[in-house]
Amino acid sequence: MKVKVVDHPLIRHKLTIMRDTETGSKDFREMLDEISMLMTYEITRDLKLEETEVATPIVTCTGYRLAANSITVVPILRAGLGMVSGILKLIPTAKVGHIGLYRDPETLKPVEYYCKLPSDMNAETFVVDPMLATGGSSAAAITLLKAKGLKKIRLICLVAAPEGVEVVNKEHPDVEIFTAALD
């Protein structure tokens, strides 16, 4: 299985709070936001930077910025929306697109009902969905993004089931999967 479990102690701690039946809605949302932010920090280690000259109060020096228009965040509606805020806190210049899918009650296959994406098709794309269960929705969303021309795609979820990872790996072996827990 090609999956990276981001098992930082803070993420594990906050995920435990989220899973607790005693955790209320407000705290649940806050933990989702914080875990999304912490995961973003971990999974963006290899993003491309551009050198830039910066005038400091003392001298001009060389600094680094994320490559312009380099990141697009695409939540799978609606659950994925909860992860967007945490990502945007660290990468406020990221563009945001949306994919809406529902499961057909007869075929149990994902059906697209909405897709709105930014125009930059060369961006690193983060598909976000808190739960990777069967892998059907995530695989369908990735297929849709590839059909629209996106190539550099990463899947970010809080909890992944091995069966879902297997489906995404089989259909999209080029897509990295990042999760906080593999259950």
Side-chain angles (χ1 to χ4, degrees), residues 39 43 83 87 126-130 154-158 178:
M39 287 185 72
I43 68 171
M83 297 177 70
I87 295 170
F126 299 162
V127 176
V128 293
D129 198 11
R154 300 176 190 199
L155 175 61
I156 306 168
C157 53
L158 291 186
F178 297 89

Side-chain angles (χ1 to χ4, degrees), residues 78-156:
R78 294 177 327 218
L81 288 173
M83 297 177 70
V84 173
S85 176
I87 295 170
L88 292 179
K89 284 179 182 173
L90 289 184
I91 313 170
T93 58
K95 305 285 191 259
V96 179
H98 296 89
I99 292 179
L101 299 168
Y102 70 89
R103 188 179 310 241
D104 182 281
E106 292 178 20
T107 66
L108 302 179
K109 300 285 185 196
V111 177
E112 173 194 347
Y113 68 87
Y114 184 77
C115 183
K116 179 74 173 167
L117 301 172
S119 59
D120 184 6
M121 293 294 132
N122 293 316
E124 286 277 349
T125 303
F126 299 162
V127 176
V128 293
D129 198 11
M131 180 67 199
L132 175 60
T134 65
S137 294
S138 294
I142 294 166
T143 298
L144 178 62
L145 292 174
K146 286 179 175 180
K148 300 277 186 184
L150 291 164
K151 293 175 180 52
K152 297 177 268 182
I153 300 170
R154 300 176 190 199
L155 175 61
I156 306 168

